Amino acid sequence: MGLFDRLFGKKEEPKIEEVVKEALENLDLSEDVDPAFTEAEEVPQEDAEVESSEEALLQEEENQETVEESQDSEPVVEVSQEEIEELPNSEEVTEEENTELLETVEENSSEVLEPERSQVEETVQEKYDRSLKKTRTGFGARLNAFFANFRSVDEEFFEELEELLIMSDVGVQVASNLTEELRYEAKLENAKKPDALRRVIIEKLVELYEKDGNYDESIHFQEGLTVMLFVGVNGVGKTTSIGKLAHRYKQAGKKVMLVAADTFRAGAVAQLAEWGRRVDVPVVTGPEKADPASVVFDGMERAVSEGIDILMIDTAGRLQNKDNLMAELEKIGRIIKRVVPEAPHETFLALDASTGQNALVQAKEFSKITPLTGIVLTKIDGTARGGVVLAIREELNIPVKLIGFGEKIDDIGEFNSENFMKGLLEGLI
């Protein structure tokens, strides 16, 4: 079964219940109904409704008087069952009134407890749904408006669709390829109405990410030391992601160590050191302006001697000076391999999803500088540009392996394409 079918199911046929309901609604039963019988039935019903409303009003007044007598200024929500049973003149309160009063207390109590329930830990899918809300809403609104504006499938339809996809940050290449495929599908299916292509568009987006079904999203953890090298320009959330991951892995029972190899930016070292203090993991630092490779060497040796499970290395992101950055990363790579020949086991590029196509440009540039095994996608919760994941997948074939859901310390997790695509496209079909 393909990814689309797993997410949204196969094309649904009309349910038998809906067919029967529609048939019943279309039946003309007016000849079989006796008008006199209808009137005879309606009169008692009206009387019953009047009596019912009068009883409800009387009962509500009695309940209100009972509550006012039992407690002068206390709100109903704070009345316990024991207090209700010990109310003055409780013998005069009927069993029915007492039951309704208890229901009122329970209802109000549930409102008070609502904030506590909201603190319940989110599921992974709930995090995806929450963080992709802006992207899903923006894309969905544009798609719905697009279909509302067109009554036929013509060349203008496809041109506007391509522009819409580009605006959704799926990338120029993706938008162009997808539009061409839809032209072919429209001819094949002889589609004349835009709505006939709505499901096909979503299917194509899913297929685009699915490709050959080889996602390679899992992180390559090792039996002993796992070395993770992080690259990315300043301000994308790279250091913050490392800190959150340190917390995540330590909570999982791993021995974690961090290396502050961005020695030319004092703020980066201080930020990583603060994260280390906050999540209680050691951080290897060096003197200001020290050679980053020497700090990495110290970190590698300590990690091996102390039996560390996961070593995460933060590096500089001066993309504007690519030659120096390339030389620096190459040197760091050699130092790492001197201690552990098969390391680094993962080289992650941190990208800010809110930068849209600029994130794609950064991914292209960094992939020229150093081999990348995966992407850390940050700030996905604050943007409508989550479609950039599709562009990266199509144009660079670099898997997203980690995703940041928000600002909380546990708002980071391993990327799952099915959860992502469901969170991105849910409700559009």
Side-chain angles (χ1 to χ4, degrees):
M1 184 183 287
L3 177 58
F4 182 87
D5 289 337
R6 291 200 300 275
L7 293 178
F8 304 108
K10 296 184 179 180
K11 189 176 265 189
E12 295 183 3
E13 298 294 333
K15 294 182 179 179
I16 187 65
E17 295 88 353
E18 294 176 358
V19 175
V20 173
K21 183 180 178 183
E22 185 178 352
L24 289 173
E25 287 175 351
N26 292 331
L27 283 177
D28 186 5
L29 301 176
S30 57
E31 295 180 1
D32 299 328
V33 179
D34 187 351
F37 176 78
T38 305
E39 291 176 6
E41 286 295 320
E42 286 176 353
V43 172
Q45 185 176 353
E46 290 177 4
D47 292 343
E49 288 175 356
V50 171
E51 291 175 7
S52 175
S53 61
E54 288 176 354
E55 287 178 7
L57 286 171
L58 288 171
Q59 201 159 353
E60 185 176 350
E61 289 175 2
E62 289 176 2
N63 286 344
Q64 189 172 354
E65 290 172 4
T66 305
V67 174
E68 289 173 355
E69 288 173 8
S70 63
Q71 46 182 9
D72 295 333
S73 58
E74 293 291 323
V76 175
V77 69
E78 297 183 6
V79 179
S80 67
Q81 187 172 351
E82 293 177 0
E83 289 173 332
I84 291 170
E85 292 173 353
E86 297 174 2
L87 285 174
N89 303 323
S90 59
E91 294 177 357
E92 298 175 9
V93 180
T94 66
E95 184 179 349
E96 185 179 355
E97 290 171 336
N98 192 33
T99 302
E100 289 186 2
L101 187 57
L102 283 171
E103 289 175 352
T104 305
V105 172
E106 289 172 0
E107 183 181 343
N108 289 334
S109 297
S110 66
E111 292 177 5
V112 173
L113 294 174
E114 194 63 36
E116 286 187 27
R117 288 202 189 106
S118 66
Q119 300 300 321
V120 175
E121 187 175 348
E122 292 177 296
T123 65
V124 174
Q125 186 60 59
E126 285 172 344
K127 287 186 176 182
Y128 274 95
D129 291 342
R130 167 176 57 81
S131 58
L132 287 166
K133 183 178 180 180
K134 285 188 178 180
T135 298
R136 180 175 61 249
T137 303
F139 178 61
R142 285 194 291 267
L143 192 64
N144 289 333
F146 170 77
F147 280 112
N149 289 335
F150 281 90
R151 296 190 177 184
S152 62
V153 177
D154 52 20
E155 187 55 33
E156 186 182 359
F157 171 87
F158 290 111
E159 289 176 1
E160 289 286 337
L161 176 62
E162 185 171 355
E163 185 177 337
L164 181 150
L165 292 169
I166 292 172
M167 287 173 60
S168 299
D169 280 300
V170 299
V172 176
Q173 189 66 45
V174 173
S176 177
N177 292 347
L178 187 59
T179 306
E180 284 303 313
E181 290 182 18
L182 283 169
R183 279 192 178 94
Y184 174 76
E185 289 283 346
K187 290 178 182 177
L188 196 66
E189 300 289 337
N190 195 26
K192 302 295 184 184
K193 299 292 183 182
D195 272 336
L197 293 177
R198 177 190 289 266
R199 185 181 179 91
V200 179
I201 291 171
I202 306 302
E203 284 179 347
K204 291 296 179 185
L205 286 171
V206 174
E207 286 173 8
L208 181 149
Y209 195 90
E210 187 176 22
K211 284 193 174 180
D212 55 2
N214 181 24
Y215 303 105
D216 193 26
E217 294 167 355
S218 58
I219 297 174
H220 301 143
F221 290 105
Q222 307 299 303
E223 286 294 328
L225 174 64
T226 299
V227 180
M228 300 178 180
L229 184 67
F230 289 79
V231 301
V233 299
N234 299 332
V236 296
K238 174 167 44 95
T239 305
T240 299
S241 296
I242 293 172
K244 290 180 179 179
L245 284 171
H247 171 74
R248 178 183 176 88
Y249 295 142
K250 187 173 184 196
Q251 293 295 106
K254 302 292 185 182
K255 290 185 69 176
V256 183
M257 181 179 286
L258 310 179
V259 177
D262 187 358
T263 57
F264 290 91
R265 191 165 65 91
V269 176
Q271 186 183 7
L272 195 66
E274 175 57 27
W275 268 108
R277 184 198 63 76
R278 183 179 177 186
V279 301
D280 193 25
V281 298
V283 181
V284 178
T285 61
E288 188 176 349
K289 307 292 185 182
D291 181 9
S294 67
V295 181
V296 171
F297 182 73
D298 291 343
M300 289 293 299
E301 287 204 317
R302 274 190 60 182
V304 172
S305 63
E306 296 178 21
I308 295 297
D309 296 314
I310 299 174
L311 181 71
M312 291 186 279
I313 304 171
D314 189 12
T315 65
R318 300 181 302 281
L319 192 57
Q320 66 274 17
N321 194 340
K322 289 189 290 185
D323 292 338
N324 287 353
L325 182 58
M326 182 183 295
E328 185 178 298
L329 291 174
E330 285 178 348
K331 186 176 180 181
I332 287 174
R334 290 197 303 271
I335 292 296
I336 291 172
K337 292 183 183 302
R338 188 183 301 176
V339 182
V340 180
E342 65 275 13
H345 306 101
E346 294 283 5
T347 301
F348 291 123
L349 170 64
L351 290 178
D352 180 347
S354 66
T355 61
Q357 288 303 294
N358 192 37
L360 181 63
V361 173
Q362 291 174 25
K364 288 179 178 178
E365 292 301 320
F366 269 100
S367 63
K368 295 175 186 176
I369 295 172
T370 186
L372 301 173
T373 61
I375 285 170
V376 184
L377 195 64
T378 67
K379 307 179 186 179
I380 191 75
D381 62 309
T383 180
R385 296 180 170 184
V388 71
V389 172
L390 299 173
I392 293 168
R393 172 75 169 175
E394 175 71 6
E395 298 190 32
L396 298 176
N397 203 23
I398 303 172
V400 177
K401 291 194 174 185
L402 293 161
I403 183 169
F405 301 111
E407 298 180 358
K408 292 186 291 186
I409 196 169
D410 61 344
D411 272 345
I412 195 166
E414 294 181 18
F415 184 81
N416 181 283
S417 55
E418 291 196 16
N419 289 338
F420 178 84
M421 294 303 286
K422 188 170 185 180
L424 178 64
L425 302 173
E426 189 73 74
L428 293 182
I429 294 182

